[in-house]
Amino acid sequence: MMQIVPLPALSDNYIWLLRQGNQAIVVDPGDAAVVMNYLAAQALNLNAIWLTHAHYDHTDGVAALKQHYPQCQVAGWSEWPEVNRAVNEGSEFEVFGQQVAVWHIPGHTADHLAYVLTDSAGQQRVFCGDTLFSAGCGRVFTGTMAQMFASLQRLNSLPENTLFYPAHEYTAANLKFAQAVEPDNPAIRQALLQTATLPTLPVSLAHEREINPFLRTSQPPVIASVVQKGLSEQQSTEPLAVFTCLREWKNRF
Ligand SMILES: [Zn+2]
């Protein structure tokens, strides 16, 4: 049975570690020591590193891990440092009894990737980096608002029991914003109470559909809030315009 373990790292990152038998994979290791300590304590070997994007808090541990585990494969775009297993949209492979599909989900960065796992029972799990967070989404840096919106829509097209494994513990702050957008949403209020216990992740898509304003751009209370923030009535019928207004509001929140 594959297990998935969150390794807290830096100030608010999670390095997700997948393990089966004595083998392990890590996603976005921003800190090598955190990973090496766990691997040593659990007598695990590092098979692979999967990268979602090349920001330092996701990649700073890669060089040291590769030096310590020279046979370890580093998956990502071929242009990224240390990558020796080039993947991109449509790449597929199998590991720990899971079918893995790589998706290109631009927005946070223009080259952001996700790793979409499907187990033998059909359960899907997504390592989505800095694209979808619980109750939020990543900032738009080198991608565009339209790309980020389309990437979130694509993630939102998965079955509702899909589990997401974002790379940051931002849930409490995101829920405060979500509550400012939808003060009367009981699911947001309930989710805020649950942020006392960490980690708040993974999260299901069904849950995100109830609380994440960036997936709720067609909901009347969300539209009413962005109109109050200055979006015209006409633009408020366009989900991308609602999304963009929300993202800019969150940047200042
Ligand atoms: Zn990032």
Side-chain angles (χ1 to χ4, degrees), residues 53 55 57-58 108-109 130 141 168:
H53 64 295
H55 282 163
D57 59 321
H58 299 249
H108 177 65
T109 61
D130 288 0
F141 288 120
H168 288 276

mmCIF file of all heavy atoms in Angstrom, residues 53 55 57-58 108-109 130 141 168, ligand 1:
data_model
loop_
_atom_site.group_PDB
_atom_site.id
_atom_site.type_symbol
_atom_site.label_atom_id
_atom_site.label_comp_id
_atom_site.label_asym_id
_atom_site.label_seq_id
_atom_site.Cartn_x
_atom_site.Cartn_y
_atom_site.Cartn_z
ATOM 1 N N HIS A 53 7.134 23.216 -10.269
ATOM 2 C CA HIS A 53 7.644 24.438 -10.888
ATOM 3 C C HIS A 53 8.959 24.787 -10.218
ATOM 4 O O HIS A 53 9.332 24.188 -9.213
ATOM 5 C CB HIS A 53 6.627 25.586 -10.831
ATOM 6 C CG HIS A 53 6.273 26.073 -9.468
ATOM 7 N ND1 HIS A 53 5.628 25.311 -8.528
ATOM 8 C CD2 HIS A 53 6.470 27.282 -8.872
ATOM 9 C CE1 HIS A 53 5.434 26.018 -7.425
ATOM 10 N NE2 HIS A 53 5.942 27.214 -7.595
ATOM 11 N N HIS A 55 10.283 27.378 -8.542
ATOM 12 C CA HIS A 55 10.522 28.369 -7.488
ATOM 13 C C HIS A 55 11.396 27.745 -6.392
ATOM 14 O O HIS A 55 11.266 26.562 -6.088
ATOM 15 C CB HIS A 55 9.192 28.865 -6.901
ATOM 16 C CG HIS A 55 8.500 29.868 -7.791
ATOM 17 N ND1 HIS A 55 7.184 30.202 -7.664
ATOM 18 C CD2 HIS A 55 8.986 30.622 -8.814
ATOM 19 C CE1 HIS A 55 6.862 31.113 -8.576
ATOM 20 N NE2 HIS A 55 7.932 31.377 -9.286
ATOM 21 N N ASP A 57 11.503 27.658 -3.231
ATOM 22 C CA ASP A 57 10.941 26.944 -2.074
ATOM 23 C C ASP A 57 10.392 25.568 -2.460
ATOM 24 O O ASP A 57 9.872 24.842 -1.609
ATOM 25 C CB ASP A 57 9.883 27.796 -1.352
ATOM 26 C CG ASP A 57 8.725 28.202 -2.241
ATOM 27 O OD1 ASP A 57 8.947 28.514 -3.421
ATOM 28 O OD2 ASP A 57 7.576 28.208 -1.749
ATOM 29 N N HIS A 58 10.515 25.221 -3.741
ATOM 30 C CA HIS A 58 10.111 23.890 -4.216
ATOM 31 C C HIS A 58 11.310 23.084 -4.721
ATOM 32 O O HIS A 58 11.210 21.881 -4.914
ATOM 33 C CB HIS A 58 9.082 24.010 -5.349
ATOM 34 C CG HIS A 58 7.821 24.711 -4.907
ATOM 35 N ND1 HIS A 58 6.617 24.069 -4.789
ATOM 36 C CD2 HIS A 58 7.604 25.993 -4.509
ATOM 37 C CE1 HIS A 58 5.703 24.918 -4.345
ATOM 38 N NE2 HIS A 58 6.274 26.102 -4.179
ATOM 39 N N HIS A 108 0.253 30.205 -12.237
ATOM 40 C CA HIS A 108 1.207 30.665 -11.214
ATOM 41 C C HIS A 108 2.552 30.937 -11.896
ATOM 42 O O HIS A 108 3.125 32.013 -11.753
ATOM 43 C CB HIS A 108 1.328 29.596 -10.136
ATOM 44 C CG HIS A 108 2.322 29.890 -9.059
ATOM 45 N ND1 HIS A 108 2.177 30.936 -8.180
ATOM 46 C CD2 HIS A 108 3.496 29.283 -8.726
ATOM 47 C CE1 HIS A 108 3.222 30.951 -7.350
ATOM 48 N NE2 HIS A 108 4.031 29.963 -7.658
ATOM 49 N N THR A 109 3.027 29.959 -12.653
ATOM 50 C CA THR A 109 4.107 30.175 -13.615
ATOM 51 C C THR A 109 3.593 29.681 -14.970
ATOM 52 O O THR A 109 2.634 28.916 -15.028
ATOM 53 C CB THR A 109 5.392 29.380 -13.249
ATOM 54 O OG1 THR A 109 5.069 27.984 -13.249
ATOM 55 C CG2 THR A 109 5.942 29.796 -11.891
ATOM 56 N N ASP A 130 1.598 25.070 -6.577
ATOM 57 C CA ASP A 130 1.073 26.376 -6.170
ATOM 58 C C ASP A 130 -0.064 26.826 -7.088
ATOM 59 O O ASP A 130 -0.207 28.015 -7.375
ATOM 60 C CB ASP A 130 2.191 27.435 -6.188
ATOM 61 C CG ASP A 130 3.176 27.256 -5.045
ATOM 62 O OD1 ASP A 130 2.998 26.326 -4.236
ATOM 63 O OD2 ASP A 130 4.140 28.038 -4.973
ATOM 64 N N PHE A 141 2.090 34.783 -11.482
ATOM 65 C CA PHE A 141 3.389 35.416 -11.720
ATOM 66 C C PHE A 141 3.699 35.429 -13.216
ATOM 67 O O PHE A 141 3.348 36.376 -13.897
ATOM 68 C CB PHE A 141 4.500 34.712 -10.918
ATOM 69 C CG PHE A 141 4.429 34.989 -9.431
ATOM 70 C CD1 PHE A 141 4.263 33.956 -8.525
ATOM 71 C CD2 PHE A 141 4.526 36.281 -8.934
ATOM 72 C CE1 PHE A 141 4.208 34.203 -7.156
ATOM 73 C CE2 PHE A 141 4.458 36.544 -7.569
ATOM 74 C CZ PHE A 141 4.305 35.492 -6.681
ATOM 75 N N HIS A 168 1.481 24.290 0.008
ATOM 76 C CA HIS A 168 1.560 25.239 1.131
ATOM 77 C C HIS A 168 0.377 25.085 2.090
ATOM 78 O O HIS A 168 -0.743 24.791 1.659
ATOM 79 C CB HIS A 168 1.555 26.690 0.635
ATOM 80 C CG HIS A 168 2.825 27.118 -0.031
ATOM 81 N ND1 HIS A 168 3.921 27.568 0.667
ATOM 82 C CD2 HIS A 168 3.170 27.161 -1.346
ATOM 83 C CE1 HIS A 168 4.891 27.883 -0.191
ATOM 84 N NE2 HIS A 168 4.459 27.639 -1.423
HETATM 85 ZN ZN ZN B 1 5.655 29.100 -6.464
#
